[in-house]
């Protein structure tokens, strides 16, 4: 049967649907020849509908159109219940008819069986200079290294050598303000080192934020707090604590740089590693005592109870208070996926967690879309099982990969 022109097909479908809804069975039956020309809906809609209509008016062989549909692959019998069972349920072979229809359900052309999912966590808050100020800050910084860790160590050592520590505070301003005042001879505290380090790292596209460390009895006394920074290091696939005042980070017995939660969990003080011109810490154990309590930009955590007042009566504000530090430390190499269409075929769209993502990688091949943060790749439709290693791409290269699996029929 020749396919109907679109305009005529639309009119015939409307008449047929109205006839079905209004139980005008002869009207529907009179349209059979024309409806056979509707290749899209004949098997799954019109043939079973005509079988019901033929039974309603008492025509012999009414079930033949249903059998024809099942032979062609029809399987959605439930859409026509209870009318189908009322019409043909008494037939001796009805159970076999239903089995034949159910056996027609094809395997899906594509099925995703495993995909990456980021762990639940609040959005990460970074310490950045205002967008209009960052371009002015960037020329004052050392050039980025080949990798994120190399860049972080370069900036850590550079920050520590900018001025000799003093207890003065700038009280307002950003890294650019601090650098301008230091150029005029000003000296500042650990707070200003943390500002310059965190905002400088972000300007170089290394995600960083400030960290406030507090000793165990920080609600009374003096010298109970210390300000540092931390950064997500792409090539280490982890957060690392960085002390801009001392030009140091902390490492375990094997030399692995440590995050703040790792430092808090240790029974023995970790080893500080100095990368700047400053003299080594005189008493690493004393400084390790500051790991007892901590908060970062946007979030604080305390497993047993939070004391919201600092030594001088200052209120310790935080946007979000949690009990577990894991909520403050998303893995920025994580990514989610979405499903989109590319040239009419299903495709996977990468949705990076990393704030400085510039693209994605699919089995090592870079995928980007110019002008948009949309990194998509069509799924292979060759029959069989497929796997792909997905990764976020940053200015420092691809991050740790996550596996995607799917089957095609």
């Amino acid at each position: 049967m020749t396919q109907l022109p679109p305009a005529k097909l639309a009119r015939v479908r409307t008449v047929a649907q109205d006839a079905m809804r209004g139980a005008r069975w002869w009207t529907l039956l009179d349209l059979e020849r024309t409806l056979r020309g509707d290749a899209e809906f004949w098997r799954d809609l019109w043939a079973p509908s005509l079988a019901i209509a033929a039974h309603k008016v008492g025509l012999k062989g009414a079930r033949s159109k249903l059998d024809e549909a099942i032979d062609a692959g029809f399987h959605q019998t439930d859409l026509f219940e209870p009318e189908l069972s009322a019409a043909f349920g008494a037939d001796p072979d009805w159970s076999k008819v239903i089995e034949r229809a159910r056996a027609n359900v094809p395997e899906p052309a594509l099925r995703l069986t495993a995909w990456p999912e980021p762990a639940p966590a609040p959005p990460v808050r970074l310490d950045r200079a205002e967008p209009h100020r960052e371009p002015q800050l960037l020329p004052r910084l050392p050039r980025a290294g080949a990798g994120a860790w190399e860049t972080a160590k370069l900036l850590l050592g550079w920050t520590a050598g900018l001025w000799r520590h003093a207890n003065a505070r700038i009280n307002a301003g950003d890294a650019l303000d601090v650098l301008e005042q230091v150029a005029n001879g000003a000296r500042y505290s650990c707070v200003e080192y943390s500002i310059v380090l965190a905002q400088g790292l972000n300007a170089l596209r290394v995600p960083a934020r400030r960290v406030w460390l507090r000793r165990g009895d920080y609600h009374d006394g003096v010298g109970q707090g210390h300000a540092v920074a931390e950064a997500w290091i792409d090539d280490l696939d982890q957060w690392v604590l960085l002390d801009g005042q001392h030009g140091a980070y902390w490492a375990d017995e094997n030399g692995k740089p440590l995050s703040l939660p790792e430092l808090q969990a240790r029974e023995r003080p970790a080893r500080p590693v100095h990368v700047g011109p400053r003299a080594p810490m005189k008493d690493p154990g004393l400084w390790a005592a500051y790991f007892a309590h901590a908060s970062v930009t946007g979030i604080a955590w305390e497993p047993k109870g939070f004391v919201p007042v600092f030594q001088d009566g200052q209120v310790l504000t935080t946007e979000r208070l949690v009990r577990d530090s894991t909520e403050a430390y998303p893995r920025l190499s994580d990514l989610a996926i979405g499903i989109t269409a590319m040239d009419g075929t299903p495709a996977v769209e990468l949705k990076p967690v990393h704030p400085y993502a510039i693209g994605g990688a699919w089995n090592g091949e870079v995928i980007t879309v110019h002008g948009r943060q949309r990194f998509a790749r069509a799924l292979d439709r060759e029959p069989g099982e497929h796997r792909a290693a997905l990764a976020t791409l940053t200015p420092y290269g691809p991050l740790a990969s996550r596996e995607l699996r799917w089957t095609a029929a």
Side-chain angles (χ1 to χ4, degrees):
M1 182 67 63
T2 304
Q3 179 68 43
L4 297 172
K8 182 177 181 181
L9 181 61
R11 290 195 298 271
V12 170
R13 284 175 174 175
T14 300
V15 172
Q17 288 169 354
D18 289 346
M20 289 169 59
R21 294 190 184 105
R24 298 194 300 276
W25 306 117
W26 282 113
T27 300
L28 182 62
L29 290 165
D30 287 343
L31 291 172
E32 177 180 348
R33 182 178 177 82
T34 306
L35 291 174
R36 284 183 177 275
D38 188 353
E40 182 179 357
F41 288 147
W42 168 252
R43 184 195 78 178
D44 294 317
L45 179 59
W46 305 129
S49 297
L50 285 164
I52 293 170
H55 177 269
K56 292 286 188 181
V57 300
L59 294 182
K60 292 182 178 181
R63 208 188 81 183
S64 62
K65 293 179 182 59
L66 177 62
D67 292 332
E68 176 187 344
I70 292 174
D71 289 342
F74 171 71
H75 57 84
Q76 293 178 280
T77 56
D78 58 310
L79 296 182
F80 297 87
E81 292 294 0
E83 287 83 359
L84 278 181
S85 292
F88 310 114
D91 293 1
D93 63 343
W94 182 242
S95 61
K96 293 182 178 179
V97 171
I98 296 299
E99 287 180 13
R100 282 174 50 219
R102 288 174 179 168
N104 281 335
V105 179
E107 286 296 315
L110 284 173
R111 184 193 300 275
L112 273 66
T113 56
W115 54 88
E117 291 183 88
V124 66
R125 278 276 313 280
L126 304 178
D127 267 291
R128 300 184 60 177
E130 291 294 326
H132 69 283
R133 300 272 284 173
E134 211 167 61
Q136 301 172 56
L137 172 62
L138 198 55
R140 296 173 177 262
L141 304 175
R143 291 177 62 88
W149 184 223
E150 180 183 340
T151 299
K153 289 189 289 185
L154 283 170
L155 201 65
L156 177 61
W158 174 80
T159 301
L162 288 171
W163 69 86
R164 289 179 59 196
H165 176 270
N167 284 324
R169 293 290 310 282
I170 195 171
N171 292 325
D174 59 12
L176 197 60
D177 293 320
V178 174
L179 293 177
E180 289 174 349
Q181 293 302 315
V182 166
N184 292 327
R187 293 163 54 191
Y188 294 114
S189 70
C190 59
V191 173
E192 283 68 32
Y193 285 107
S194 71
I195 292 172
V196 171
L197 182 54
Q199 294 186 5
L201 285 168
N202 281 303
L204 295 173
R205 297 303 179 256
V206 176
R209 56 191 180 183
R210 295 166 64 194
V211 180
W212 292 267
L213 304 175
R214 297 182 290 276
R215 296 170 64 87
D217 52 357
Y218 65 81
H219 59 282
D220 189 56
V222 295
Q224 298 282 43
H226 183 44
V228 294
E230 65 183 1
W232 170 265
I233 307 301
D234 290 351
D235 30 334
L236 300 182
D237 196 38
Q238 69 172 82
W239 291 91
V240 176
L241 195 72
L242 306 168
D243 188 331
Q245 176 182 328
H246 294 98
Y249 64 91
W250 283 263
D252 66 10
E253 292 74 12
N254 298 317
K256 172 186 174 294
L258 297 173
S259 67
L260 176 53
E262 289 174 318
L263 289 165
Q264 289 185 313
R266 288 180 65 90
E267 295 181 358
R268 294 187 302 170
R271 175 175 59 91
V273 180
H274 293 82
V275 298
R278 298 290 299 275
M281 299 176 189
K282 293 182 179 180
D283 188 351
L286 172 68
W287 290 100
Y290 286 99
F291 300 139
H293 303 278
S295 57
V296 301
T297 305
I299 191 167
W301 61 93
E302 283 293 351
K304 297 180 180 178
F306 182 68
V307 178
V309 180
F310 193 54
Q311 61 188 23
D312 55 1
Q314 172 189 351
V315 175
L316 295 176
T317 62
T318 184
E319 295 175 21
R320 185 182 178 93
L321 183 62
V322 298
R323 290 192 177 274
D324 190 343
S325 64
T326 58
E327 295 192 45
Y329 286 88
R331 296 183 67 81
L332 298 190
S333 59
D334 280 349
L335 51 85
I337 67 164
I339 304 299
T340 187
M342 292 184 69
D343 300 323
T345 191
V348 166
E349 186 174 0
L350 276 62
K351 298 178 179 293
V353 171
H354 199 289
Y356 300 129
I358 59 172
W362 181 286
N363 288 335
E365 179 186 347
V366 173
I367 53 173
T368 59
V369 175
H370 281 299
R372 291 185 295 168
Q373 292 289 308
R374 184 175 184 232
F375 321 123
R377 178 69 174 264
L379 291 167
D380 192 338
R381 304 291 296 272
E382 260 320 292
E385 296 186 359
H386 302 271
R387 297 188 179 198
L390 312 183
T392 298
L393 185 68
T394 77
Y396 296 99
L399 305 187
S401 65
R402 305 290 188 266
E403 187 178 55
L404 171 70
R405 296 201 299 267
W406 72 99
T407 60

